Amino acid sequence: MSGRPRLTVFGTGYLGTAHAACLASLGFEVLGVDVDAARASALQAGTLPFYEPGLEPLLRAGLHGGRLSFTTSYPDAAEFGNVHFICVGTPQRPGSGGADLSQFEACFAGLAPLLRRPCLVVGKSTVPPGTVAAYGQRLPAIAPAGPGAELAWNPEFLREGHAVGDTLRPDRIVAGVRSARAEATLRAVYAEPLAAGIPFLVTDPATAEMVKVAANAFLATKISFINAMAELCEMTGADVLSLAGALGHDRRIGASGMRPGLGFGGGCLPKDIRALAARAAELGAGEALEFLHDIDAINQRRRTRVVDLAREAAGGRLESRRVGVLGVAFKPGSDDIRDSPALEVAARIQALGARVAVFDPAAMDRAKHVHPDLEYAGSVLGAARDADVLLVLTEWPEFAAADPEVLAKTVARQVVVDARHALDADAWRACGWDYRAPGRPGSAPPARTAGIRLHQAALHEAAAGFLAAAV
Ligand code: UGA
């Protein structure tokens, strides 16, 4: 391949669209491909079918500059590209923890027979270990180009809400390749980030595939670890925020990705740890990754804990209470509600008989689609109006910035449950709010603290006895 490779990107979700638009912004000619004709034409018209800060301007610049376009045609894509990135979704298989690879299979089976000249097919989708080896063998057997068509693996680590920055300036680029030609091609694609000093790690494809799933398993473990500590803090009256801060100062532990609260959700971490555990079991290594089931269970318990906190804050029952909910997206900066802890908690509270009014800066339309039964307010104040309890379930900056004094005049009772530790607890308490947050003092169930008080009384008694004996 001479000159700059021409690129195709199959699958135009968060990952594929960000990848296509960012590579076009680096000067490549890029063709995005999707089987969903409505999505492809929306993108061709410059409309992003989801919320992702900073991506739409890049999309439009690529379209206007003639470097970026979208199609549904696989033959056109095969003809156009020298490097084909596969970015299709790999959701959880219904009724099992395993990954549903049907979109990947359909993409591969549609593209491979059309590859007539030497090219590189690059997997970016998140797949369970062992997937790449199987596809790597099939590709030259199916493609008319034979061994000229090669499979490489180049996992993606972008976070929703930071897709552009994470694509253009990732922490590292991992290239899982079998040949010098494949490595050189990926170096050409990523020449600009490499020139900026981004580490380029060359591995075999099987390791590259593992880097992604291991990274997500580690991130999920870190979040569930601090949330497990939050459970313990509630038993002892300790403060999980101070704990996380103190732990984070240890450079071996690090502070980032260890925010306690409502736990992880979204289209990646939950399904990826389940798929990894399921594949490990299939490979005979189930015991080694057994702990991921606990990570999942700790995470699910956070949702139950926040429902319980809301019930306690509402005076012991949720029936007929008015609950204001701030946030339904799985995290701020995104309109994604896939496996959203916030939306699940809102729906569970509604199912317990409360009247729930929600507000989210970006995810309202998607949430309405799935939960038309909830009330949808037009603002923070609207969601808080006449509320017996106010819940903060997604840490959007506008919620942290809300004025507790103004909100105090809107609600029926000044009780707030800050499930994401987004608010300034002192400021809210100073305005008369009963402020509660999981893992923080003031939020422990009475029965548990009573047990601890007894234990502390026994310790004081023992200490007094010790001092008396010492003097
Ligand atoms: C995650 C990974 O962070 C990315 O590196 C990866 O590329 C991506 O999955 C993927 O596999 O495609 P993402 O799902 O966008 O990215 O979001 P994160 O920022 O990791 O947050 C995931 C969830 O964990 C959110 O619900 C968030 O609220 C929660 N979280 C995150 C915490 O509860 N505490 C934290 O400290 C961090």
Side-chain angles (χ1 to χ4, degrees), residues 126 156-160 212 216 219 223 227 256-260 263-269 272 330-331 341 395 420:
T126 302
E156 182 57 61
F157 304 100
L158 70 80
R159 296 158 300 161
E160 286 176 27
K212 174 58 192 263
N216 275 5
L219 293 169
I223 297 167
N227 281 329
S256 62
M258 203 173 47
R259 285 190 321 279
F264 57 81
C268 302
L269 298 190
D272 287 349
F330 87 107
K331 68 173 198 180
E395 68 276 34
R420 294 289 189 181

Side-chain angles (χ1 to χ4, degrees), residues 106-315:
C107 179
F108 179 87
L111 175 66
L114 303 172
L115 300 174
R116 299 183 190 287
R117 43 172 218 278
C119 61
L120 192 64
V121 177
V122 186
K124 288 187 88 66
S125 303
T126 302
V127 294
T131 307
V132 186
Y135 281 101
Q137 279 175 6
R138 276 173 65 195
L139 183 58
I142 301 176
E150 198 180 334
L151 183 67
W153 213 260
N154 168 221
E156 182 57 61
F157 304 100
L158 70 80
R159 296 158 300 161
E160 286 176 27
H162 303 269
V164 172
D166 285 355
T167 303
L168 291 173
R169 295 173 299 282
D171 290 342
R172 76 298 209 188
I173 294 168
V174 176
V177 292
R178 288 234 166 276
S179 71
R181 178 183 73 118
E183 180 183 334
T185 302
L186 286 175
R187 281 187 186 278
V189 169
Y190 294 116
E192 201 165 311
L194 293 190
I198 305 290
F200 187 77
L201 311 173
V202 180
T203 71
D204 54 77
T207 305
E209 160 191 71
M210 273 288 292
V211 174
K212 174 58 192 263
V213 288
N216 275 5
F218 191 89
L219 293 169
T221 301
K222 204 170 176 191
I223 297 167
S224 273
F225 174 84
I226 197 64
N227 281 329
M229 293 303 122
E231 286 189 34
L232 202 53
C233 285
E234 289 184 358
M235 305 292 187
T236 63
D239 183 341
V240 73
L241 270 198
S242 309
L243 173 69
L247 290 177
H249 277 284
D250 185 327
R251 269 173 296 182
R252 294 167 302 171
I253 298 175
S256 62
M258 203 173 47
R259 285 190 321 279
L262 185 47
F264 57 81
C268 302
L269 298 190
K271 61 107 176 155
D272 287 349
I273 59 168
R274 291 173 198 149
L276 182 57
R279 176 54 60 89
E282 286 164 11
L283 294 171
E287 218 177 319
L289 295 195
E290 191 60 38
F291 73 96
L292 288 178
H293 297 292
D294 286 333
I295 298 306
D296 203 359
I298 293 165
N299 193 51
Q300 294 301 322
R301 278 206 298 279
R302 300 321 291 159
R303 302 175 186 195
T304 305
R305 177 66 187 125
V306 171
V307 173
D308 289 347
L309 267 178
R311 187 191 295 104
E312 288 156 21

